[in-house]
């Protein structure tokens, strides 16, 4: 009788949680904010883009299969290879990583969802709309055609006068918004939204990998976003950031691009390595050897990857000292990679491996990635790189690293976690033939390409002559590529058949030790009926026992409270329970906000500039509308969290996830700002046609007034936070007024003190820096007025000061950034023009 009543209670809890966490059918599916749905959407959309990119690759190999081919003309070929690279890097690899992490992390961490479900939904819609923009360009025959890294001056308006390059610059920037959103979401969720008891030292290894990857995304993407903005501004408004005749420098684009581009290689590799570190111990039958060494190796790789960007610029004429430094750094990154490989091999050596389909792809990864790593060390050596630069040897190395180091592990991960998504165990009738077709086809395609590169075949060339003697090698590569394509088609068919005919199975089919198998399959919308408490490392658990306990509601939050969506937050390092996170319900707002963001990019693309500020105001209004469902107008106090403990809601906690999200957002923002300032100093030091003719320095009195207004805005924003629950209204009004005054003064300096902005990069750079500062001060006024409104509506008290604390961060950052901008402009004008004239 007791057992029956317990089962009835568990079933009732399941129904109540499903009613709250589930997403309605029909058009209401567009309101989904659940991480499982959004993760699947990311992965499926990325797979569609992968298929499109793969078809483009087949067109490339068809063109190169024979000498002097007329299958495609030069212009069409340029569009095809540009879009192939763009799709694979920006629309497939990074979004697939995001989707994989979004789907899996809460399940591994013992949470019901990520920290910011609506932000995840907004990121998905931005990704979908931005990617669709690029595919539409391809279908209309106006796809970007300047190469997937868009080197200037080829991508400038002089040499690419059409709309092609604009599609790349605006579409990719639109997609990058999704990446930055995902980075903030993943970092905060890993650090804060974990099961109680899961300290950093007990986290599953995959979480460590994704923490490093998300941090890299946070700091690597802003330089590319900045470069895209500057190049689009140059194309649209003729400001000369990259034009050497007017004080710009094409090398500035290369620096900004590769500040993103080389860390991106490791951003792509590390999640796949994290999947290997999770899967391989399961099939070896023992925990990962050298857990702490692997964690340190991952962190080291993340740091080192940011010191390698000039590895791609050996041919641009940098000094021998700089080349020696970057050559050594490029070789050094092999050390943390080797640590991970040896840890995997040691795990296999001390275990009793089971050779299932996921392990086939793991061993395929070992073979291919080691070859790619060895050729990478070769290319890190400057003398060899000069010989192989821009040849098919580099193309072969690149694909060995990215397909071997990313696609093979992700296929292993797909087969390993597919039962979690489907609730069915794979049949594997087609899995093994598909693997061998992909493995053999890949090596036939790209192993031969090393030879064609050493024989002198350059990349991005649409044809070659009969006399070159390269036709037989290219034909072999093309045959291999089609075999690989058939292998991927078999994988797709295999997955479809598994969805249709796969067998049901008991929980934890692989006998793993991680939390994602301690839930029903397919995973329910709420993940866990109650949340676990961990006493050991999260890859050494007993999922079957844990799952029974959690399903019965004997963990944390094993109940439904007032129809709320709740999960828990913990201390970053300790894993001690800190707060109850109240998550927002399903809503159309992320879709509407992404559509308004898309309107901004579309207006820029078709040059309807009057529509741009309208779109920006719509985006701002919609983001403000998000806040209607957050916060509370009364102090709630500690809430029962289950297991006999209580915790305050996140709105009354000093370390709320949204506060940390603002810290991380400002870190990414500061990275973009630092990249802009770096660009200015780089032009002053290296660009031709400097110094320009002297022109008036900005008005000192206006600049002093702006600095005074910025200082006052920062001080009053700080004071408003201290007065939360008392009388912050006066300080908030003063803060908003100061921000508006600073905005007007900075705008006046930018418009009147920067003459001939299209004439020289000095004036253009100062104008860009001031626009950055002015935009942030204008938003500072919005933050202050928002805090005032929230206070008047009763959402602010001494305990509920989160809105003002987030605003304080913005006010202080804006004040510092604005002062730096004004000082930079005065110093830059004085140095750049020989002191200026009064």
């Amino acid at each position: 009788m007791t057992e029956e009543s317990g089962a009835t209670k568990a079933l009732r809890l399941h129904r109540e949680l499903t009613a709250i966490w589930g997403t309605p059918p029909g058009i209401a599916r567009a309101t989904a904010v659940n991480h499982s749905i959004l993760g699947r959407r990311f992965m499926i959309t990325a797979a569609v883009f992968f298929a499109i990119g793969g078809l483009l690759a087949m067109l490339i190999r068809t063109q190169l299969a024979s000498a002097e081919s007329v299958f495609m003309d030069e212009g069409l070929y340029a569009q095809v290879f540009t879009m192939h690279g763009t799709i694979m890097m920006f629309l497939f690899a990074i979004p697939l990583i995001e989707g994989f992490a979004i789907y899996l992390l809460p399940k591994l961490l013992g949470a019901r969802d990520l920290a910011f479900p609506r932000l995840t939904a907004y990121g998905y819609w931005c990704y979908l709309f931005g990617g669709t923009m690029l595919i539409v360009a391809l279908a209309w025959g106006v796809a970007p055609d300047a190469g997937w890294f868009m080197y200037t001056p080829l991508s400038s308006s002089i040499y690419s006068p059409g709309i092609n390059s604009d599609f790349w610059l605006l579409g990719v920037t639109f997609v990058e918004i999704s990446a930055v959103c995902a980075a903030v979401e993943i970092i905060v969720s890993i650090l804060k939204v974990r099961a109680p008891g899961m300290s950093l030292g007990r986290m599953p290894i995959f979480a460590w990998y994704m923490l490093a990857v998300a941090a890299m995304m946070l700091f690597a993407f802003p330089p590319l976003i900045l470069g895209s903005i500057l190049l689009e501004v140059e194309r649209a408004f003729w400001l000369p950031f990259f034009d050497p005749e007017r004080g710009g420098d094409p090398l500035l684009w290369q620096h900004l691009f590769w500040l993103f581009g080389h860390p991106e290689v490791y951003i792509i590799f590390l999640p796949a390595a994290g999947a290997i570190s999770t899967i391989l111990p399961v099939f070896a039958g023992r925990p990962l050897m050298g857990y702490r060494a692997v964690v340190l190796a991952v962190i080291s790789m993340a740091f080192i990857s940011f010191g390698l960007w000039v590895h791609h610029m050996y041919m641009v004429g940098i000094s021998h000292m700089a080349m020696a430094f970057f050559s050594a750094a490029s070789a050094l990154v092999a050390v943390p990679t080797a640590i991970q490989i040896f840890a995997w091999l040691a795990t296999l050596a001390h275990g009793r491996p089971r050779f299932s389909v996921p392990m086939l792809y793991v061993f395929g990864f070992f073979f291919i990635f080691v070859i790619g790593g060895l050729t990478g060390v070769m290319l890190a050596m400057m003398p060899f790189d000069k010989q192989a630069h821009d040849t098919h040897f580099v193309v072969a190395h690149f694909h060995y690293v990215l397909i071997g180091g990313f696609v093979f592990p992700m296929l292993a991960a797909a087969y390993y976690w597919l039962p979690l998504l489907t609730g069915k165990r794979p049949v594997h009738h087609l899995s093994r033939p598909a693997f061998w077709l992909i493995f053999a086809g890949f090596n036939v395609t790209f192993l031969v390409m090393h030879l064609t590169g050493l024989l002198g075949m350059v990349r991005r060339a649409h044809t070659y002559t009969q006399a070159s003697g390269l036709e037989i090698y290219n034909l072999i590569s093309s045959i291999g590529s089609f075999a690989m394509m058939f292998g991927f088609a078999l994988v797709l068919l295999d997955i479809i058949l598994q969805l249709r005919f796969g067998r049901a199975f008991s929980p934890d089919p692989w006998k793993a030790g991680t939390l994602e198998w301690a839930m029903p399959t397919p995973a329910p919308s709420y993940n866990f009926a109650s949340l676990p408490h961990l006493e050991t490392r999260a890859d050494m658990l007993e999922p079957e026992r844990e799952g029974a306990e959690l399903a019965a509601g004997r963990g944390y939050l094993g109940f439904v409270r007032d129809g709320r969506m709740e999960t828990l937050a913990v201390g970053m390092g300790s894993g001690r329970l800190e707060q109850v996170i109240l998550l927002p319900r399903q809503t159309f707002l992320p879709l509407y906000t992404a559509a308004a963001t898309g309107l901004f990019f579309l207006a820029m693309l078709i040059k309807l500039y009057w529509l741009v500020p309208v779109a920006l105001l719509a985006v701002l209004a919609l983001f403000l509308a998000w806040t209607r469902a957050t916060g509370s107008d009364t102090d709630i106090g500690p809430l029962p969290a289950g297991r006999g403990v209580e915790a305050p809601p996140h709105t009354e906690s000093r370390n709320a996830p949204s506060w940390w999200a603002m810290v991380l957002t400002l870190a990414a923002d500061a990275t973009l700002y630092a990249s802009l300032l770096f660009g200015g100093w780089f032009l002053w030091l290296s660009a031709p046609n400097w110094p320009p003719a002297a022109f008036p320095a900005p008005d000192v009195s206006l600049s002093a007034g702006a600095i005074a207004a910025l200082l006052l805005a920062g001080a009053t924003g700080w004071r408003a936070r201290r007065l939360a629950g008392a009388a912050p209204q006066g300080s908030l009004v003063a803060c908003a007024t100061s921000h508006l005054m600073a905005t007007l003064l900075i705008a006046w300096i930018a418009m009147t003190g920067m003459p001939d902005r299209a004439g020289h990069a000095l004036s253009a750079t100062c104008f860009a820096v001031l626009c950055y500062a002015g935009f942030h001060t204008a938003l500072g006024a919005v933050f202050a007025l928002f805090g005032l409104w929230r206070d008047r509506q009763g959402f602010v008290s001494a305990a509920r000061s989160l809105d003002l604390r987030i605003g304080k961060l913005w006010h202080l950052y804006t004040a510092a950034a604005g002062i730096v901008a004004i000082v930079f402009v005065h110093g830059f004008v004085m140095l750049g023009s020989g002191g200026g004239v009064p």
Side-chain angles (χ1 to χ4, degrees):
M1 191 67 172
T2 305
E3 182 179 346
E4 184 179 0
S5 63
T8 303
K9 179 181 177 183
L11 182 59
R12 186 179 71 253
L13 177 60
H14 164 76
R15 288 172 176 169
E16 291 173 345
L17 289 169
T18 300
I20 295 171
W21 289 83
T23 301
I27 191 65
R29 294 286 288 179
T31 67
V33 294
N34 181 265
H35 79 100
S36 293
I37 293 175
L38 294 171
R40 287 197 298 267
R41 286 180 181 173
F42 265 103
M43 291 187 283
I44 292 170
T45 307
V48 172
F49 284 129
F50 177 69
I52 296 171
L55 291 174
L56 295 178
M58 294 304 98
L59 295 178
I60 293 171
R61 288 315 316 170
T62 301
Q63 170 69 18
L64 296 178
S66 60
E68 301 174 10
S69 173
V70 293
F71 179 69
M72 287 188 285
D73 61 33
E74 190 172 6
L76 179 58
Y77 183 81
Q79 290 190 34
V80 168
F81 83 72
T82 298
M83 282 299 296
H84 168 69
T86 299
I87 288 172
M88 291 305 193
M89 299 301 289
F90 297 105
L91 303 185
F92 165 61
I94 299 295
L96 182 65
I97 291 165
E98 295 168 16
F100 190 63
I102 287 166
Y103 180 84
L104 198 57
L105 278 173
K107 298 171 173 60
L108 285 167
L109 296 173
R112 284 183 173 155
D113 210 320
L114 297 167
F116 312 110
R118 294 180 300 179
L119 184 65
T120 304
Y122 172 72
Y124 171 74
W125 294 117
C126 286
Y127 162 51
L128 178 64
F129 295 158
T132 302
M133 180 189 296
L134 288 164
I135 301 303
V136 167
L138 179 65
W140 281 356
V142 289
D145 53 5
W148 74 269
F149 32 72
M150 292 292 289
Y151 275 178
T152 57
L154 181 61
S155 57
S156 68
S157 56
I158 296 174
Y159 298 102
S160 297
I163 202 172
N164 306 60
S165 294
D166 298 308
F167 267 109
W168 192 98
L169 295 167
L170 295 169
V172 166
T173 302
F174 197 1
V175 172
E176 296 311 290
I177 292 174
S178 171
V180 174
C181 290
V184 172
E185 174 78 279
I186 290 169
I187 293 173
V188 175
S189 296
I190 291 174
L191 291 178
K192 296 295 295 181
V193 190
R194 307 194 301 268
M198 187 185 289
S199 64
L200 287 179
R202 292 176 179 171
M203 282 203 310
I205 193 66
F206 183 76
W208 276 109
Y209 275 92
M210 286 310 307
L211 181 61
V213 166
M216 293 169 72
M217 291 168 64
L218 193 73
F219 295 108
F221 283 94
L224 176 64
I225 294 173
L226 172 69
S228 300
I229 292 171
L230 294 182
L231 183 52
E232 181 60 28
V233 167
E234 178 174 301
R235 289 174 56 84
F237 305 111
W238 202 236
L239 270 64
F241 300 106
F242 308 105
D243 183 358
E245 295 183 358
R246 295 179 290 152
D249 194 336
L251 288 184
L252 175 59
W253 171 265
Q254 291 196 37
H255 279 293
L256 293 175
F257 183 88
W258 290 116
L259 277 168
F260 145 82
H262 203 89
E264 187 195 26
V265 174
Y266 300 98
I267 289 171
I268 292 171
F269 165 69
L270 283 175
I276 297 289
S277 292
T278 302
I279 295 168
L280 186 143
V282 173
F283 289 97
R286 65 163 299 122
L288 178 69
M289 297 287 290
Y291 172 91
R292 295 183 184 276
V294 171
V295 169
L296 291 175
V298 170
I299 295 171
S300 300
M301 183 176 284
F303 275 104
I304 295 171
S305 69
F306 282 91
L308 309 182
W309 81 92
V310 180
H311 170 96
H312 298 268
M313 300 172 61
Y314 284 157
M315 304 300 289
V316 302
I318 61 175
S319 68
H320 289 291
M321 180 65 74
M323 284 194 287
F325 171 81
F326 286 102
S327 180
S330 300
L332 181 64
V333 79
V335 175
T337 306
I339 290 173
Q340 295 170 74
I341 291 174
F342 285 123
W344 297 329
L345 294 176
T347 303
L348 286 173
H350 286 79
R352 302 183 68 178
R354 290 177 286 152
F355 293 97
S356 187
V357 168
M359 285 299 284
L360 275 180
Y361 285 99
V362 170
F363 281 106
F365 154 80
F366 279 134
F367 181 86
I368 292 172
F369 185 74
V370 168
I371 293 176
L374 292 174
T375 56
V377 173
M378 293 167 65
L379 289 169
M381 302 301 108
M382 180 188 58
F384 181 83
D385 185 84
K386 286 198 171 187
Q387 302 301 314
H389 182 76
D390 261 351
T391 69
H392 273 218
F393 188 95
V394 177
V395 177
H397 156 71
F398 188 70
H399 284 82
Y400 261 85
V401 170
L402 289 185
I403 294 182
F406 177 69
V407 175
F408 273 77
M410 295 309 288
L411 285 171
Y415 278 107
Y416 178 75
W417 276 294
L418 197 60
L420 189 64
L421 280 85
T422 65
K424 297 180 179 180
R425 191 166 187 172
V427 180
H428 292 323
H429 289 322
L430 297 178
S431 307
R432 290 176 175 83
F435 165 78
W436 289 111
L437 271 174
I438 295 171
F439 182 78
F442 172 83
N443 283 288
V444 169
T445 302
F446 294 106
L447 195 61
V448 177
M449 207 174 285
H450 289 98
L451 182 58
T452 58
L454 292 175
L455 290 174
M457 184 167 181
V458 297
R459 62 196 300 194
R460 295 187 290 274
H462 82 295
T463 189
Y464 53 93
T465 64
Q466 289 276 2
S468 64
L470 298 171
E471 187 169 31
I472 183 62
Y473 304 113
N474 276 294
L475 179 60
I476 293 171
S477 284
S478 295
I479 293 171
S481 68
F482 279 91
M484 182 168 52
M485 180 193 71
F486 287 125
F488 283 117
L490 274 185
V491 168
L492 177 61
L493 178 60
D494 188 37
I495 291 174
I496 292 172
L497 291 176
Q498 289 177 26
L499 290 171
R500 179 68 179 84
F501 301 109
R503 300 188 301 268
F505 63 92
S506 59
D508 194 13
W510 307 115
K511 303 305 175 186
T514 43
L515 276 172
E516 78 274 28
W517 301 112
M519 62 177 66
T521 53
S525 56
Y526 53 85
N527 288 341
F528 302 96
S530 59
L531 302 183
H533 182 93
L534 266 65
E535 301 289 350
T536 187
R537 213 170 76 190
D539 60 351
M540 296 189 291
L541 305 174
E542 299 178 22
E544 189 170 351
R545 182 184 62 81
E546 290 275 354
E549 290 288 315
L550 299 178
R554 290 194 281 271
Y556 295 100
L557 297 181
F559 48 81
V560 171
R561 180 170 30 219
D562 301 327
R564 295 172 179 166
M565 295 168 59
E566 297 180 336
T567 192
L568 299 178
V570 299
M572 284 189 176
S574 66
R576 287 193 297 269
L577 175 60
E578 277 191 351
Q579 54 198 280
V580 177
I581 301 177
L582 312 177
L583 295 175
R585 299 295 295 272
Q586 299 82 0
T587 174
F588 282 105
L589 280 174
L591 173 59
Y592 296 155
T593 310
T597 309
L599 179 64
F600 165 80
F601 285 101
L602 185 62
M604 288 292 297
L605 181 67
I606 61 179
K607 305 188 187 311
L608 290 178
Y609 296 124
W610 63 268
L611 190 56
V612 170
V614 175
L616 284 176
L617 288 174
V619 172
L620 177 61
L622 286 165
F623 271 123
L624 290 175
W626 289 28
T627 63
R628 291 184 302 175
T630 61
S632 172
D633 56 3
T634 58
D635 291 349
I636 298 175
L639 294 168
R643 294 173 60 98
V645 298
E646 294 183 335
H650 76 277
T651 53
E652 299 175 18
S653 172
R654 294 187 57 82
N655 295 306
S658 48
W659 188 87
W660 284 106
M662 177 56 77
V663 171
L664 295 172
T665 301
L666 290 177
D669 194 359
T671 303
L672 185 145
Y673 191 29
S675 301
L676 177 59
L677 300 178
F678 159 79
W681 290 117
F682 174 80
L683 293 178
W684 175 64
L685 291 169
S686 303
N689 295 316
W690 281 68
F695 61 91
D699 189 292
V700 174
S701 59
L702 289 176
S703 299
I707 290 175
L710 288 165
L711 289 172
L712 183 59
T716 51
W718 179 288
R719 179 172 171 76
R721 154 66 188 96
R722 294 177 63 86
L723 294 174
Q729 296 92 345
S731 294
L732 290 169
V733 170
C735 183
T737 304
S738 301
H739 276 301
L740 289 173
M741 182 61 68
T743 302
L744 293 173
L745 290 172
I746 290 172
W748 187 264
I749 296 170
M751 298 305 296
T752 63
M754 297 294 112
D756 194 21
R757 291 182 292 275
H760 197 275
L762 170 63
S763 185
T765 302
C766 291
F767 181 75
V769 171
L770 291 170
C771 284
Y772 174 93
F775 177 75
H776 282 70
T777 54
L779 282 182
V782 173
F783 270 95
L785 293 174
F786 173 74
L788 180 64
W789 176 77
R790 294 284 279 188
D791 181 72
R792 287 185 174 275
Q793 294 295 312
F795 286 92
V796 175
S797 70
R800 293 173 283 111
S801 62
L802 181 59
D803 292 321
L804 298 189
R805 287 190 287 116
I806 291 174
K808 182 186 76 171
L809 290 174
W810 188 270
H811 302 316
L812 294 177
Y813 175 80
T814 296
I819 293 170
V820 168
I822 293 169
V823 173
F824 173 88
V825 167
H826 279 272
F828 200 53
V829 168
M830 180 179 66
L831 293 172
S833 60
V837 294

